Amino acid sequence: MISVVIPAYNEKDSIPILYEKLTKVLEGDYEIIFVDDGSDDGTFEVLQKIAGKDSRVKVIRFRRNYGQTAAMYAGFQHAKGEIIITMDADLQNDPEDIPALIRKLEEGYDLVSGWRKDRKDPFFSRRLPSMIANWIISKVTGVELHDYGCTLKAYRADILKELELYGDMHRFLPALTKRHGAKITEVVVRHHPRLYGKSKYGLGRTIRVILDILLVKFLNEYINKPMYVFGSVGFLLLFTGSLALAYLILIKLFVGEDIGRRPLLVLSVLSILAGIQLISTGIIAELLVRIYYRSKEDKPYIIDRKINL
């Protein structure tokens, strides 16, 4: 069974066209899960009509706008298929690329990511920042992909069910699945100009992406051992500060020089204090990790209504 998960926010004009295209491409046992992320333009009413005619169309409606990550996460949690396809609702992704993604997945991969090689977006405001972000993410995470921002992807469901998504983590799904041993590749897909509505993203997300990259790096490599991060830096500062302070004490005792006005004294004390604080933070982080793994399951969204689920 194939599950197609589609986050939608104010896409009432695009959804009927997208639905028609999907039904022409999808064959066999499948479901289409639309997640209405708090739309206020009539998107939910359009989805209601489609779901009323086709039981394979499932609809999840959020009480408010929680963001694309929460919408995709809700779709993953409700998907019944062994293969999960994600795509945007704005018609820029092409449903006709879905069979190629599935064929590649059947070669033994766990995740097949779309690559919008001929992207139909403005260069300076969308494509250039995306190219820079893709390069940085690939180098930091070790997962080399040309287009992290392409929503059109195919996953094996079991690898997605292991993930908990918060914030704006949806664009980092390839890097997050790597932590669980996923085999990842990419294929070139088509990309179309936006016909209706306007983009929900802009240059303002750049800082958030950079911060998320650091978070993904930490989650992938140090989530189970935060003490290695904080403790290593803390020990280095503590050791360096202690050496500098010992040097100043020796000067004071054996040379008789006044060290009270030397900048090195302030720097050494600050280094020692910072080192102690970072080591303490590492210990607290270790305790929080253990609490995290024992905590109850929680979700970063609230569902208002469901249809056909």
Side-chain angles (χ1 to χ4, degrees):
M1 184 178 181
I2 296 171
S3 298
V4 183
V5 175
I6 306 172
Y9 179 59
N10 291 342
E11 298 287 359
K12 68 172 184 176
D13 296 317
S14 301
I15 284 173
I17 302 172
L18 177 60
Y19 167 71
E20 293 295 333
K21 289 186 175 183
L22 283 168
T23 54
K24 292 178 181 178
V25 170
L26 297 173
E27 298 177 348
D29 193 12
Y30 69 86
E31 63 179 358
I32 303 171
I33 302 176
F34 286 98
V35 184
D36 178 11
D37 188 18
S39 299
D40 56 12
D41 69 336
T43 292
F44 180 68
E45 288 71 23
V46 172
L47 291 172
Q48 269 186 311
K49 292 179 182 178
I50 296 174
K53 298 176 182 178
D54 188 347
S55 61
R56 294 171 299 185
V57 175
K58 325 289 185 180
V59 181
I60 299 170
R61 184 188 188 188
F62 285 172
R63 288 187 180 178
R64 64 171 178 84
N65 178 246
Y66 287 96
Q68 189 170 351
T69 298
M72 291 177 69
Y73 188 30
F76 297 159
Q77 294 299 305
H78 289 81
K80 301 290 178 61
E82 296 173 352
I83 293 175
I84 296 178
I85 307 292
T86 58
M87 65 186 307
D88 289 326
D90 58 10
L91 297 176
Q92 291 194 270
N93 296 144
D94 197 323
E96 292 187 7
D97 287 316
I98 291 176
L101 294 175
I102 295 175
R103 285 195 299 270
K104 196 68 177 177
L105 200 70
E106 291 172 345
E107 292 180 12
Y109 293 99
D110 300 298
L111 191 162
V112 181
S113 180
W115 173 17
R116 300 165 294 180
K117 194 172 183 178
D118 184 20
R119 188 171 173 180
K120 308 298 183 182
D121 282 325
F123 180 77
F124 288 105
S125 62
R126 298 295 302 278
R127 287 161 52 199
L128 181 59
S130 180
M131 289 165 60
I132 296 172
N134 287 324
W135 183 85
I136 295 173
I137 297 171
S138 293
K139 297 306 177 186
V140 171
T141 64
V143 182
E144 297 282 346
L145 293 176
H146 291 90
D147 193 357
Y148 268 85
C150 181
T151 306
L152 184 57
K153 293 180 173 67
Y155 308 81
R156 295 199 181 277
D158 56 351
I159 205 78
L160 281 181
K161 300 293 185 179
E162 298 292 330
L163 301 179
E164 291 184 351
L165 302 179
Y166 300 93
D168 288 319
M169 290 286 108
H170 63 275
R171 66 176 63 87
F172 299 105
L173 278 169
L176 293 173
T177 57
K178 176 197 173 187
R179 180 182 163 208
H180 296 277
K183 297 173 68 176
I184 302 167
T185 189
E186 65 182 346
V187 297
V188 175
V189 296
R190 283 161 280 204
H191 191 244
H192 302 292
R194 173 180 277 273
L195 298 177
Y196 306 103
K198 58 182 181 179
S199 173
K200 315 303 186 296
Y201 296 104
L203 287 172
R205 65 174 178 165
T206 304
I207 295 176
R208 298 199 302 270
V209 171
I210 294 173
L211 294 175
D212 284 339
I213 292 171
L214 299 176
L215 177 59
V216 169
K217 179 70 173 178
F218 180 83
L219 291 175
N220 270 2
E221 299 188 16
Y222 300 108
I223 185 61
N224 293 321
K225 44 188 178 182
M227 188 61 175
Y228 289 5
V229 179
F230 299 106
S232 298
V233 179
F235 178 78
L236 180 62
L237 288 173
L238 181 60
F239 180 73
T240 305
S242 299
L243 280 181
L245 187 59
Y247 166 73
L248 291 173
I249 291 173
L250 289 174
I251 290 178
K252 177 67 175 178
L253 291 176
F254 295 100
V255 180
E257 183 179 335
D258 181 19
I259 62 172
R261 297 182 180 180
R262 297 190 63 164
L264 184 59
L265 177 63
V266 177
L267 184 61
S268 62
V269 173
L270 286 176
S271 296
I272 291 172
L273 292 175
I276 293 172
Q277 187 171 16
L278 282 171
I279 292 173
S280 301
T281 301
I283 294 172
I284 294 171
E286 289 282 347
L287 295 174
L288 289 175
V289 166
R290 282 150 180 75
I291 294 171
Y292 165 78
Y293 281 115
R294 294 174 187 170
S295 64
K296 65 179 183 178
E297 184 178 352
D298 198 7
K299 297 291 185 296
Y301 55 82
I302 299 175
I303 293 174
D304 180 39
R305 292 181 63 184
K306 298 180 184 179
I307 301 176
N308 292 338
L309 284 165

